[in-house]
Structure formats: C-alpha cells, structure tokens
Amino acid sequence: MGPVLAGVLQLLALMGALALAYIPLGTYMAKVYSTDKHWRVEKWIYKGIGANPDTEMRWTAYLRGVLAFSAVGVLFLYLLQRLQGVLPGSLGFQAIDPDQAFNTAVSFVTNTNWQSYYGEQAMGHVVQTAGLAVQNFVSAAVGIAVAVALVRGFARSRTGELGNFWSDMVRGVTRILLPGAFIAAIVLVACGAIQNFSGIHEVGQFMGGSQQWNGGAVASQEAIKEFGTNGGGYFNANSAHPFENPTPFTNLFEIFLLLVIPFSLTRTFGVMVGSVKQGYAILATMATIWVGFVALMMWTEFAHHGPALQIAGGAMEGKEVRFGVGSSSIFAVSTTLTSTGAVDSFHSSFTGLGGGITMLGMMLGEIAPGGTGSGLYGMLIMAIIAVFIAGLMVGRTPEYLGKKIGTREIKLAACYILVTPALVLVFAGVAMALPTPVHSMTNSGAHGFSEILYAYTSAANNNGSAFAGLNADTQWFNTTLGLAMALGRFLPMVFVLALAGSLAEQRPVPETAGTLRTNKPLFVGLLVGAILIITGLTYFPALALGPLAEGLAS
Amino acid sequence: MTTRTESEEMSTATPTRAPHSDVPTGHKSPEGRVGAGLFDPQQLLKSLPDACRKLDPRVMVKSPVMFVVWIGSVLTTVFSFKDPGDWFGWTISAWLWLTVVFANLAEAVAEGRGKAQADTLRKAKTDTVARRLTGAVEEQVPGTGLRIGDLVVCESGDIIPGDGDVVEGVASVDESAITGESAPVIRESGGDRSAVTGGTKVLSDRIVIKITTKPGETFIDRMISLVEGAARQKTPNEIALNILLASLTIVFLLAVATLPPFADYAGTHLTMVVLVALLVCLIPTTIGALLSAIGIAGMDRLVQRNVLAMSGRAVEAAGDVSTLLLDKTGTITLGNRQAAEFVPVSGVTEAELADAAQLSSLADETPEGRSIVVLAKETYGLRERHQGELTGAEWIEFTAQTRMSGVDVDGRRIRKGAAGSVVKWVEERGGTVAEDADAATDRISEAGGTPLLVAVEDPQGARVLGVIHLKDVVKQGMRERFDELRRMGIKTVMITGDNPLTARAIAEEAGVDDFLAEATPEDKMALIKREQAGGKLVAMTGDGTNDAPALAQADVGVAMNTGTSAAKEAGNMVDLDSNPTKLIEIVEIGKQLLITRGALTTFSIANDVAKYFAIIPALFAAVYPGLDKLNIMGLSSPDSAILSAVVFNALIIIALVPLSLKGVQYRPVSADKMLRRNLTIYGIGGLIAPFVGIKLIDLLISLIPGIG
C-alpha cells in the first residue's frame, strides 16, 4: 500500500468515525443544554460559586459571566505560575517570568494554548494539572456556552434571554468534556501514553550522551487537549512526542477527538433551532472546506521535487516517521481548521504551500469545523454575512433561520469579522516595521516572514500552534501575542452575544417559497465561496509575501 | 435595537403618464423624460456638471467607500505633483478621479430623472389666491397665508389653494396636475370622496374646503421635495449594506496599510500611488458607487407607475411582503355582477326567457341590467330595443325599494328582479313559482352567483319564466397572477363584503389562497394583526376613512388617490391611478430593488479576485520571481497590470449604470431558482468578467509606445 492510499484510507476511516459520533453526540449535547434538571455535583458547584443556575440571562449578563469568569481564570493562572517556585510538586522549576506568565495565562484561558515555554523544562505538576489542565476544560466549555447562547438567539423569539452562563459552562464540563476526556484518556493510556506523577529521569542515548525524560499526567491532559481543541502539549514536541501520541492509531484517534465536538455541534445547533437540515448545511460547509484543505495539503506534501523528498515518498522533513505524510497532513489541517493548535509534525517544515494551507486554515477564522463552540459561532457569523450579501438576490431583505439580518445584526457581524484580520495584520505589520522582533526569526526571506505572520495568525485566531522557528519568548512577543489572544477571543464573543440578544428579541419570519433556503446545497456552495473569497481577499497580499512566494519559487 | 424612525422619504409622483392606456388623455409627457427601463447615454453628459459638484468632500463623506477613493485620489495627485515626471502617477490619479466622478455620475443621472419631474410639478403649483371665508365674509388672501382649519371657497375655474376636505357642496375637479389623469373627478362633502389636493382645479360648481395642511407641507410640496431627493434618506437595508461595505473597506485598508513593512522586509519599496491603486481596486467601489443610484432608481420605477412612496422603508417592505390583502371589487373582479346565463323553467325555452329578460331590463340602467340586455343580444341575437320603439309600453324602472324593473306592453306585464320581490309579485297575482325555479335559484346562490327571477303576467296568469344567473366576473389573467405570487411565496387574501358562500366561489375561481367574507374594517384589522403576529408582512390597499387604521397597521398600505385624506395620511404609499391591482407591481418593484442591490454587491466582491491576480505579481514578482506564476492573465508589464486593474475598476461603474437604473431582470419564480440564476450571472460572472476585461485593457495599453 502506497503512502497516498494509506493517507486516503485514514481520512476515510476518520470521516466514518466522525459520522458515527455525529448524531448521538450532537443530540446528546442539545439535550445537555436544553434540560432543566441539575446533577447533584453541579448543584454543589453552583452553591460553591454562589450562582443561581435557573435564572435566565440577557446577553449583557451572559457576557459579564463570560468575562468575569475568564478574568478570574487569567489571574489565578498567572499567580500560580508566578508562585511556582514556592509550590510543592513543581519538580524544582522556578517561577515563570511576568511576561511569559501573562502570555501563558491568557493563552490557556482563551483556548489558544500558545506556548512560549518548553513544558518539560518549565511547568511542574501543580501548574500543569491544577492550572493548565483545568483551563483546558473550562475554556472549551466557555466556547461551547457562547455558541449555545447564539443558537438560542436563533431558536428563541420575543425574549432577550439567552440561558444561564454558569449552568451552560458547568454542564459543558461535567456532562460533555469530563466524561469524554475520561474515556479518551483511558484509550490513550491503553495505547501507551503515559499517566503518572513521576519525576525527571536521566536516560542514556544510543549514540551516547543522556536525555531527560519527564513523567506526568500526560494522557489525561492529552485527551482534553484534543477533545477541547486546546492544543497545549505537556511536552514541547506536543503530539509528535511519543509519550503524548505513541502510535499511528493514537494519532488518528487524537485527530478524531479534536474534530468530534466542533462537527457534532452542528447537530446540536440543528436540533436546538428545530431543523436538523440547517445543521447538516453548516456541517456540509465545514466538511467541504476541511476535506478540500486535507486534499490540497496531501497534494502539496506528496507532490515533491528533489531527490531527498522522492526517496522519502513525500515531504518528510519535520514529520514523524510513525505517522507519515498522509496522517500528518490530516493532523496539520485539522489542528489549524480547529482552534486546537496541537501538532504532530512541524508546520514550518511543510512545503511552502503546505505551510500556507495551515495559515489559511486559521485565517478563515477557524470555522471548518473550528474550536469547541467558537467554530460554530464563527461559521454562523459567516452564514449571516453570506446571507446578507447574496440573500438580497432573492428579492427579500436578508433573513437567516427566520430572523431578519437588519442594521444592528450586520453591524455586529461586521465588527466580528473585522477583529482577527485587524489583530493579525496590525500586529504583524508593526512587528515587521520595528527593528527587534525580526531578530526572533530563525529563517530569512519569505520563510522568516511566514514565522511572524503565522504567530499572529495563530494567536489572534486562538489556535496556538507555532510555525516552529520563531523565538517567541521575548517581552515583545509574549505581550503582543498575549494581547492578540485576549482580544481575538473576547471581542468576538462580545459581538456574538450582542447578536444573540438582538436575534432573540426578534419575532420569527415564517418561511415561504420566497425565502432563501439555507438548508440546500446551493447555499452551502455560496457559503463556502463567500468564506474563501472574503478571507482570501483579506490575506492574499500577506500570504503572497510568505508561503506563496516560497511555495511558487521552484 | 432596530431603528424605528420612519424616514420621511417619499418618491414621487409624476404627473406625466396617463394611468390607463385606454383612457384618452390630453396630457402630454414632457420632453426629456425617460421611461423605466430605458437609458439614454446623453444623460451621462447632461449630469456631468452635477457629478463634479458632488466632489465636495462634505457630500462625498456620505458614501464611505467612495470617500476613501476620493482621499486616495487626493493623495496620488499630491504625490504626482511631487514627482511631476512620473506619467504612471498622473495616469493613475486621473483614473482614480474618474472613478469618483463616475460614481457621482451614476447618482446624478438617477437624480436627474427626478428633477425633470419636479419642474413639471412646480408649474402646477402656481401661486394661488385663496378666498377665505370668515363667518359669511369672504376675503382674498394669498394661498401661503392659509392656516389649518381655515375655510376657503372655490368655484369653477379656481385652483384649490391647499390640501383639505370639502365641507360643503359638490364639484368636479381636474386633478391632472397630480395624477396625469385628465378626466375630472367628483369631490363632495362627507363620505369617502371629500379630499381635495392643492394645485388641482375646480371645473364646475362651488365647494367650501376646510384646509387640513399647512402651506409648504402640502401634497405637492412634499412631492417636489421628494422628487428632488432633498428628503431622501437611506433605507434600513441600504444602511445595513453600507455598514458591511464600510467594514470590508476597513479590512482592505488594513490589508494594504500593513503591506509596506512586509514589502520592505521582502526588499521592495511600494510607492503611495501603487498602494492607493491596490486599495481602490480592492474596496467594493462598484456597489459603493452605484448603491445610491439603485435606491433612487427603485423609487423612480414606482413613480413611473404613478405610485408615491412616502418612505423608502415601505419600498423595501414591499419586497418582503408575504401576505397581500386584495379587495375583491375592482382588484379581482371587474367590479360589477354580470349576467352569465339564462335558466328557464320547464316549458319555457331559453330564447323566450332571454327575450322577456331583455325587455324587462331595458328600463334598468344599472350595470347588472345592462349586462342582461347585452347577454341576450350576444347569445340569442336579440336586438337591443330602444324604449321608444315599443309604442304603448309602460316602463317600470328599477328602484332600490321595489328591487324590480319591467315593462307593461301588449297586455303582458314582464318583471325582473330580486328573487324575493318577484316571488311576492307573482303570488300577489295568484300565480305560482315553479319548483325548478326554486332549484335553479338555490344552485346559483350556492355557486356564489346572484339569481334574478323573470316573471310574466299575461292572460295565462302570473308565473315565473326562469332565472338569470348574475355573477362576479373575475378579471382576465388574475389566476396566473396569483399563481406567480404563490411561487414567489406570497399569500393572497381576498377581502369582500359578500357572504361566505359567494366569497368562496369567487375565491376559487380567481385562485386566491384565502378570503375574508363579510369583512368589516375591524375584521381586516384583526386579520392584519394576526398575520403580523406570525411574522408576516402585510400589504393592502384602501381608500375609505374606515380603512385608515388598517392601512396604518399594514406594512405596506397603499392608499388610493381618490380616497379620503385620512386614508392617504395612514398609508405609506399613494397610488395616483387608484388602481388596486397596482399592489402586485409594487411588490415586484420592491423585490427588484433588493435583487439589484444584492447582485451588484456580489458582482463587486467577486471582481476583486482577478484584481489580485493582476496586481500582486506586478508588485512582487521582481523580488519573488515565483509570484509571476500568479500572472495568469499574462499582463504585459507591472505598470500596465496595475493601470489595467484601475481602469477596469472605473469603467465597470459606468458600464453598470444602466443596469443599476433599470434594475436586474425580475421574474416571479421561487427563491431557489432566482438565487441560482443571479448567483451564476453576478457571482460567477463577477469572478470571470474582470479577468477578460483587465486582459483587454492591458492589450490596449501595451499598444501605447513607451509602456508595456
């Protein structure tokens, strides 16, 4: 079996597994966010944090919950890192510097998991498990909660109420993420990922010299790292590290984990708005882009010039021999089209065009299928934009899912789509214009520029993967990337929740033969086109000077 | 927070076109007016001075996209002055200015059409002298000195000095100044025909008018200011689209503004001229330039059909309407019941019945009576006899009391009339009513028709001869019209005062979706509220004062110009032709306006793809030769590539002016088909067209020596 065929078969197996999980998981999640029964453990939590899970919140209250909870999360995580030196169970690591602690705190709370540190050389058990792992759960739950609030905005009418943030967030953890991650961790342990609290081992190498190996609660962190589209690795090598991702099967399993919630949320959406077909249309849009990107990626990585690449059967530089070109391509596309940012291969080492594909995936706004929750709400915003532009062509003022897209709605959607391009382009522009940030580049020329462009794209879109090579542990990068992550996460949430509130207040417009059908292939095509063209136009010049210049050079 | 401010914008009425082509009119269209759908290139030249006047930044700032182009043009011009030998900078500057002028031209042409109409209206608004009545004293005051509540007298030949209601008398009035309809109309005190409009002329008799509007705010004044665009405000969807276009402009501004540091790192320096050229090519200039013209032209299309929209919001709402309330009479049916069939009782031939029916109807001047005479003539060749032809005949005319008409001639007494009256008449004379007459009567009633009995009393006694079937005649083509509406997703509801039985029969024949029988104004109101509660937008027409609340409640309320001032005040459109069928056209115009906007937006955004393929290789192929692979159009030189993109960007605006003025072709089909069609033409077409256009312009430019 050739590597190409193997890659295609793995892709098919993955699609099959995702398809099997789609209806049960999606429907289950819809139930989680619709029932009014609380679990006993949840009641304890509500009592503990002093929240009443049964009050309905308007969008402002919901947003206050999101922001307050996240702010507390950042502060706690920051302090934990700053105090690491005096905490027990820290493997002897010292306190993290203020700028790096800020960057890391923001990074994990925003579901980005950008790491400017080396996990095995900086973070002890307490920070990893009580700090980072906790945020892996709750940041994902916050994302789903905001998406659910937007879905309720579509589903409800003549009310400003979007549900209860505390209940949505807690249920996301207790009923979806914890059970899912628990099962996934067991699978990973069974396949050879490590799970212990052992210290640092000095291990001799075959070629002489010695190596330090850390123990740690890796499998449990790995499970939520993928399942919550977080991506922050226990080890610096992330999912390329054999302790995190030991076999080709775990590799495929991890890809499955990071895709399954974002894809299945379209089912949740369909069930909650009362038309699973609308969910299928959004799913089809996401899947079209995802499969298209995987195909493109395999094509660039398998199509190779030069004897070294031909002997290897593809562009093997920076890829694990365990996984090969096909599986690495699927992983790279999936991690950048979601907000995961875990890597099982080094995006910097992909072909020029391949690196460009990973960047473009993030630039789309990570909506195909995107992060947990953030993918769905990002895609729904794009659907609103597409409906607004093309919907007029059916001779009615634009409407989506029975809600009019009026001045206020389009204002909020327009603000949403402005945020990440502004962050990426402005920060990258300033970084390129200043004398020092450029010194962090490992490479020169177009590839060096790609490193910086990739860093800001990854941060502003809350991806977290890096175009390895950039030395990001500088005050400039820790600060600006931290700001990009925070603004790139919470500003869009402000607009999404405001939009949800505005939609929930409307009364529904009944569907007639004159209504634009948003559950038809034509609309899916339109949406894919709108996403690609709008993003493409935004980033084309920047991409031309980075990956395109490199990829088209030969 | 959807803004609920009703933009007091109104498009205008043109006093230029006769409403019904079959009505003879002495009113001539003024020269220089363009009909809907026509576009005269000369207008572009004529509007050029206006277009240049609009270069004032205070005017430009209203259109954010074009304002950015304007700033860009100023920048490139300034930079060209700093380097006067740079032909490229000058050429780009020139084309950027042209882009702005072209955009202004589109708007100026659209407005120009309205200006011509305003001039005609002004002629109608000659300064009048009013004869104000204070108690019994009459004094002459200027029309502008009138206040609300003043009473004025108008006699034949007087121009009515202001809007008001007739409180005394009845007069025929020439309203051609407003409606273009030269046939005089009757205005009388009380009832639904009491409203008079300032500027119209009393032709006969004397009326006393109570002024209801301040001078300067009359119907004609509002029309003039609306036609001239002085009161034009952006409609909600236009505002929303402007927001999206502004945000896309910001995105592209960021993409271009951050390019210099990237380029410097790559080792090439981008000049201001090139950056501005790239920016202008990317921002949605096509739709930004034409958006305002599309809106004005949409209102203008209404004007062409003699409809005055009080707000642009109403025009947009018309596109969204999902329920149409249509009055049966005049809209769905011809308005009068007509004889359709003669049903004789046994022992009587149809010809005998027809003859008796005709004879008895000669003295019946009602439309129903006339239709019986006509049916007898057409079906049985019975010549219409004049009353004078039959000597010794005594004619009994139809009255509302007797509800019968007839004739006594040659010893025969023939009567025709409402079933009850005729039966009573026969029984009084000792006659009997045949059973099959009863059966026929019931059958006709059930079918929604009106039965009229024909009876005779002669030496053989009094007896019923048969039944005439009167029925509402549905206008031709209505069923097809309603089928079209259904395909567009619009539900039609027929409103009638008829009983449910009759209403159902007509509803079925006409093919409407639903009907409201024995409708009172309250019922109408309740129906509208019910539909709206379900999220539907409702359109209706009305003319009476009792329609006013429903007109105000409806999303699109079209008041007939013949209606009361209360109705006109309540509606958000006035149909100067007073033709209720117009509602369907209004919906189509609303849809066409929205489609045109969407199509050009899609086209504009799709256009950008090709421009990148022209400009990016031109800018960077020198430092990254690989990028030359993106030059798939094979443009001859970097300068020529950039220039071609800029030129194409400017020319496409002018090329699309006719389309934006006359609107995208509209067919009543389902949303799916419409989307597929428009997406193919304007989406895919918008992707491909600029590749061809830019290549052609590049070929021309490369012919110029010294370039390319």
Side-chain angles (χ1 to χ4, degrees):
Chain A
M1 188 161 62
V4 179
L5 181 62
V8 172
L9 287 179
Q10 290 189 44
L11 180 62
L12 290 177
L14 186 58
M15 287 164 75
L18 288 167
L20 282 179
Y22 181 74
I23 290 180
L25 180 59
T27 312
Y28 170 74
M29 288 193 288
K31 223 171 276 171
V32 165
Y33 292 105
S34 304
T35 176
D36 46 12
K37 289 202 183 72
H38 304 295
W39 288 359
R40 182 168 304 159
V41 58
E42 290 167 355
K43 285 185 192 159
W44 294 339
I45 298 173
Y46 299 136
K47 213 171 272 175
I49 57 178
N52 178 357
D54 295 316
T55 48
E56 283 286 336
M57 291 177 168
R58 302 184 61 79
W59 76 267
T60 41
Y62 206 99
L63 177 66
R64 269 200 304 277
V66 170
L67 295 181
F69 179 73
S70 303
V72 170
V74 171
L75 199 64
F76 176 75
L77 203 48
Y78 178 80
L79 290 175
L80 206 59
Q81 294 174 79
R82 297 288 294 136
L83 298 174
Q84 177 166 247
V86 295
L87 291 174
S90 294
L91 299 173
F93 294 137
Q94 288 309 302
I96 310 291
D97 288 339
D99 58 314
Q100 194 172 40
F102 161 75
N103 182 283
T104 306
V106 170
S107 174
F108 277 75
V109 171
T110 57
N111 198 252
T112 312
N113 305 39
W114 171 269
Q115 293 163 297
S116 69
Y117 60 90
Y118 296 94
E120 59 270 50
Q121 293 169 29
M123 304 293 182
H125 293 319
V126 174
V127 176
Q128 290 265 24
T129 313
L132 305 182
V134 168
Q135 283 303 329
N136 279 351
F137 282 96
V138 293
S139 69
V142 167
I144 305 179
V146 171
V148 166
L150 178 61
V151 174
R152 289 198 188 110
F154 280 111
R156 296 180 177 183
S157 39
R158 285 178 247 198
T159 167
E161 292 165 347
L162 299 175
N164 184 291
F165 167 70
W166 302 109
S167 138
D168 289 342
M169 191 271 295
V170 169
R171 285 180 186 186
V173 175
T174 55
R175 303 194 192 188
I176 299 169
L177 296 168
L178 265 177
F182 182 76
I183 300 168
I186 290 178
V187 173
L188 286 171
V189 170
C191 294
I194 63 164
Q195 180 77 4
N196 56 46
F197 285 103
S198 101
I200 299 170
H201 302 262
E202 289 281 334
V203 181
Q205 287 186 304
F206 296 121
M207 311 285 286
S210 73
Q211 233 181 347
Q212 288 189 337
W213 289 4
N214 287 30
V218 175
S220 57
Q221 186 132 323
E222 188 69 13
I224 190 60
K225 177 187 107 182
E226 316 295 0
F227 196 51
T229 65
N230 292 287
Y234 199 96
F235 301 104
N236 184 53
N238 209 298
S239 288
H241 197 294
F243 286 179
E244 288 196 15
N245 189 6
T247 68
F249 171 75
T250 56
N251 191 52
L252 211 53
F253 180 64
E254 288 185 6
I255 304 175
F256 168 81
L257 282 181
L258 66 90
L259 290 171
V260 70
I261 288 184
F263 271 130
S264 301
L265 271 175
T266 61
R267 168 83 185 181
T268 312
F269 157 75
V271 171
M272 288 180 79
V273 299
S275 163
V276 289
K277 278 191 185 163
Q278 297 288 354
Y280 285 134
I282 296 294
L283 170 71
T285 309
M286 292 175 168
T288 306
I289 295 176
W290 176 68
V291 171
F293 270 53
V294 170
L296 264 182
M297 183 64 102
M298 285 200 186
W299 173 72
T300 65
E301 298 307 295
F302 277 122
H304 32 70
H305 304 284
L309 296 179
Q310 282 185 353
I311 290 163
M316 275 304 291
E317 183 197 318
K319 297 189 180 75
E320 278 290 308
V321 184
R322 299 202 294 291
F323 310 138
V325 172
S327 196
S328 300
S329 298
I330 303 173
F331 199 113
V333 166
S334 303
T335 195
T336 46
L337 275 173
T338 60
S339 79
T340 313
V343 289
D344 77 343
S345 52
F346 288 87
H347 295 178
S348 176
S349 303
F350 277 57
T351 60
L353 292 179
I357 293 169
T358 58
M359 266 190 252
L360 186 61
M362 293 185 279
M363 287 166 174
L364 294 184
E366 290 165 7
I367 50 177
T372 48
S374 60
L376 180 62
Y377 64 66
M379 180 58 92
L380 292 177
I381 297 279
M382 286 314 296
I384 285 175
I385 300 277
V387 158
F388 187 84
I389 294 173
L392 281 172
M393 285 195 290
V394 304
R396 290 168 67 95
T397 55
E399 58 207 20
Y400 183 53
L401 302 173
K403 297 296 173 75
K404 283 278 171 208
I405 310 303
T407 312
R408 182 174 161 78
E409 289 77 22
I410 204 66
K411 204 181 282 177
L412 294 166
C415 286
Y416 181 99
I417 58 166
L418 266 179
V419 173
T420 40
L423 292 172
V424 172
L425 291 170
V426 171
F427 276 125
V430 174
M432 295 305 292
L434 291 175
T436 41
V438 184
H439 296 153
S440 286
M441 292 178 188
T442 303
N443 294 279
S444 60
H447 199 82
F449 171 65
S450 291
E451 291 172 7
I452 285 190
L453 181 63
Y454 193 107
Y456 286 107
T457 305
S458 173
N461 285 292
N462 297 140
N463 185 274
S465 66
F467 214 46
L470 186 74
N471 169 26
D473 186 19
T474 67
Q475 286 205 347
W476 164 263
F477 280 110
N478 275 332
T479 312
T480 55
L481 290 171
L483 285 174
M485 288 186 276
L487 296 173
R489 172 77 164 177
F490 297 112
L491 277 182
M493 280 186 173
V494 172
F495 301 127
V496 166
L497 288 173
L499 181 67
S502 163
L503 292 171
E505 278 170 15
Q506 287 189 26
R507 61 173 170 216
V509 184
E511 188 176 308
T512 68
T515 312
L516 170 68
R517 299 294 160 84
T518 51
N519 53 5
K520 292 280 157 78
L522 182 64
F523 180 74
V524 173
L526 166 68
L527 187 49
V528 171
I531 292 166
L532 291 179
I533 287 183
I534 291 178
T535 316
L537 292 177
T538 310
Y539 293 105
F540 196 99
L543 287 174
L545 291 175
L548 278 178
E550 190 187 343
L552 295 174
S554 51
Chain B
M1 178 215 69
T2 30
T3 47
R4 288 292 304 172
T5 49
E6 182 75 4
S7 48
E8 270 309 312
E9 162 193 347
M10 156 161 112
S11 120
T12 49
T14 155
T16 56
R17 208 198 64 180
H20 305 293
S21 49
D22 53 344
V23 178
T25 167
H27 199 88
K28 275 201 170 162
S29 297
E31 291 303 310
R33 235 203 82 129
V34 194
L38 290 176
F39 174 73
D40 179 2
Q42 282 204 326
Q43 282 176 300
L44 289 175
L45 273 181
K46 249 187 246 165
S47 305
L48 198 56
D50 276 333
C52 293
R53 234 168 278 142
K54 284 170 186 281
L55 287 174
D56 184 336
R58 285 165 299 178
V59 180
M60 293 301 306
V61 77
K62 285 179 196 155
S63 164
V65 178
M66 293 320 294
F67 188 56
V68 170
V69 184
W70 184 89
I71 294 175
S73 311
V74 173
L75 276 178
T76 53
T77 311
V78 170
F79 276 82
S80 299
F81 269 109
K82 284 168 77 180
D83 183 9
D86 175 23
W87 69 268
F88 179 72
W90 285 113
T91 320
I92 293 283
S93 303
W95 278 100
L96 293 185
W97 282 113
L98 278 178
T99 311
V100 184
V101 171
F102 287 168
N104 290 347
L105 208 50
E107 193 181 75
V109 168
E111 285 173 350
R113 297 176 159 199
K115 288 226 169 64
Q117 291 149 16
D119 291 342
T120 353
L121 283 170
R122 276 220 185 75
K123 280 181 206 143
K125 197 196 153 203
T126 43
D127 284 328
T128 49
V129 176
R131 296 159 61 187
R132 186 164 67 189
L133 212 55
T134 319
V137 189
E138 195 183 301
E139 55 174 333
Q140 304 258 333
V141 294
T144 49
L146 291 173
R147 293 290 165 267
I148 292 174
D150 283 355
L151 294 177
V152 294
V153 179
C154 286
E155 279 181 307
S156 61
D158 288 348
I159 302 281
I160 295 173
D163 295 357
D165 287 325
V166 180
V167 290
E168 187 189 319
V170 50
S172 63
V173 177
D174 173 10
E175 295 195 335
S176 61
I178 307 282
T179 61
E181 167 63 78
S182 61
V185 293
I186 301 294
R187 295 293 175 205
E188 57 191 345
S189 62
D192 285 351
R193 306 180 73 83
S194 64
V196 287
T197 312
T200 57
K201 191 176 179 185
V202 177
L203 293 179
S204 70
D205 304 290
R206 174 182 185 275
I207 45 175
V208 177
I209 299 159
K210 189 175 185 185
I211 297 295
T212 54
T213 323
K214 269 191 256 175
E217 292 176 17
T218 62
F219 198 65
I220 269 203
D221 287 316
R222 278 197 288 165
M223 276 170 70
I224 292 173
S225 74
L226 296 167
V227 187
E228 290 191 321
R232 196 185 112 80
Q233 285 173 1
K234 287 181 178 141
T235 55
N237 176 262
E238 199 177 341
I239 294 171
L241 185 52
N242 252 318
I243 291 172
L244 184 71
L245 295 181
S247 75
L248 286 176
T249 305
I250 296 173
V251 167
F252 291 129
L253 198 57
L254 288 169
V256 173
T258 54
L259 202 48
F262 300 167
D264 286 341
Y265 169 81
T268 176
H269 183 71
L270 301 178
T271 64
M272 181 56 83
V273 172
V274 162
L275 287 172
V276 171
L278 176 60
L279 176 65
V280 170
C281 284
L282 293 183
I283 62 178
T285 47
T286 314
I287 181 65
L290 298 173
L291 188 55
S292 160
I294 293 169
I296 298 173
M299 299 291 253
D300 194 52
R301 276 195 293 281
L302 275 183
V303 172
Q304 312 283 339
R305 286 162 181 81
N306 265 5
V307 176
L308 195 63
M310 301 294 177
S311 77
R313 178 187 286 271
V315 185
E316 273 175 13
D320 283 350
V321 159
S322 40
T323 307
L324 280 189
L325 304 192
L326 298 169
D327 279 326
K328 183 200 78 176
T329 310
T331 311
I332 296 171
T333 64
L334 287 172
N336 297 308
R337 287 153 183 276
Q338 300 203 341
E341 183 188 9
F342 295 114
V343 186
V345 297
S346 58
V348 180
T349 65
E350 260 187 61
E352 280 168 2
L353 174 63
D355 182 54
Q358 193 188 45
L359 272 174
S360 60
S361 299
L362 290 175
D364 181 357
E365 286 299 330
T366 62
E368 289 88 349
R370 304 297 308 157
S371 77
I372 296 171
V373 175
V374 170
L375 181 70
K377 187 164 86 180
E378 284 174 355
T379 326
Y380 301 100
L382 296 175
R383 189 175 61 84
E384 178 183 348
R385 284 152 289 191
H386 292 287
Q387 295 188 11
E389 277 181 44
L390 299 165
T391 46
E394 192 188 334
W395 299 97
I396 289 98
E397 294 202 359
F398 179 85
T399 69
Q401 285 76 40
T402 61
R403 296 166 73 205
M404 287 193 300
S405 67
V407 64
D408 297 347
V409 66
D410 302 336
R412 291 168 79 206
R413 292 146 75 91
I414 311 175
R415 293 292 181 276
K416 169 230 80 187
S421 308
V422 174
V423 167
K424 198 169 150 218
W425 182 82
V426 170
E427 283 171 352
E428 275 172 1
R429 279 159 186 75
T432 53
V433 179
E435 263 178 40
D436 47 353
D438 272 346
T441 308
D442 290 348
R443 182 178 59 77
I444 290 167
S445 296
E446 271 165 32
T450 308
L452 292 183
L453 289 188
V454 182
V456 67
E457 186 188 18
D458 57 14
Q460 297 156 30
R463 63 189 186 281
V464 170
L465 293 176
V467 188
I468 306 168
H469 185 171
L470 284 187
K471 68 187 225 185
D472 262 332
V473 179
V474 172
K475 283 184 183 174
Q476 275 197 331
M478 289 319 280
R479 181 173 272 280
E480 291 72 25
R481 214 69 194 275
F482 294 137
D483 287 346
E484 280 179 11
L485 288 171
R486 199 168 300 115
R487 280 199 295 277
M488 288 153 59
I490 295 172
K491 176 177 141 188
T492 45
V493 182
M494 182 183 82
I495 308 290
T496 171
D498 291 341
N499 64 57
L501 217 59
T502 314
R504 176 182 303 281
I506 297 168
E508 275 169 15
E509 189 182 342
V512 291
D513 296 305
D514 202 354
F515 64 90
L516 185 65
E518 290 170 349
T520 62
E522 293 75 33
D523 293 341
K524 251 194 208 183
M525 188 71 172
L527 175 67
I528 294 175
K529 285 190 171 161
R530 200 160 59 237
E531 292 286 318
Q532 287 175 335
K536 291 183 175 163
L537 263 59
V538 182
M540 67 169 286
T541 60
D543 55 4
T545 300
N546 56 16
D547 283 332
L551 277 173
Q553 179 72 30
D555 301 281
V556 178
V558 184
M560 301 291 103
N561 193 45
T562 52
T564 60
S565 36
K568 283 200 252 182
E569 204 59 45
N572 45 19
M573 292 193 194
V574 176
D575 178 19
L576 300 172
D577 296 345
S578 303
N579 169 13
T581 321
K582 199 72 79 58
L583 199 50
I584 300 173
E585 285 175 57
I586 292 173
V587 168
E588 294 186 348
I589 289 171
K591 286 195 177 293
Q592 197 189 24
L593 170 70
L594 296 172
I595 295 172
T596 308
R597 223 179 253 164
L600 291 183
T601 307
T602 308
F603 186 84
S604 187
I605 295 172
N607 261 215
D608 280 3
V609 176
K611 294 173 193 165
Y612 265 137
F613 280 93
I615 296 182
I616 292 295
L619 296 185
F620 301 120
V623 283
Y624 294 126
L627 290 179
D628 201 43
K629 287 179 191 156
L630 296 177
N631 183 10
I632 53 178
M633 285 174 274
L635 303 180
S636 51
S637 76
D639 282 353
S640 166
I642 296 168
L643 191 54
S644 302
V646 170
V647 171
F648 175 83
N649 197 49
L651 291 183
I652 197 72
I653 295 174
I654 281 294
L656 290 173
V657 166
L659 182 68
S660 65
L661 291 187
K662 78 176 191 222
V664 165
Q665 196 189 4
Y666 172 75
R667 285 195 207 130
V669 291
S670 71
D672 288 345
K673 280 189 191 148
M674 205 156 9
L675 182 64
R676 180 163 291 120
R677 179 190 143 83
N678 289 327
L679 212 51
T680 312
I681 299 177
Y682 299 99
I684 313 281
L687 274 178
I688 297 166
F691 280 101
V692 179
I694 292 173
K695 177 67 190 172
L696 287 177
I697 295 168
D698 175 73
L699 283 176
L700 286 177
I701 291 178
S702 62
L703 292 177
I704 304 171
I707 313 171

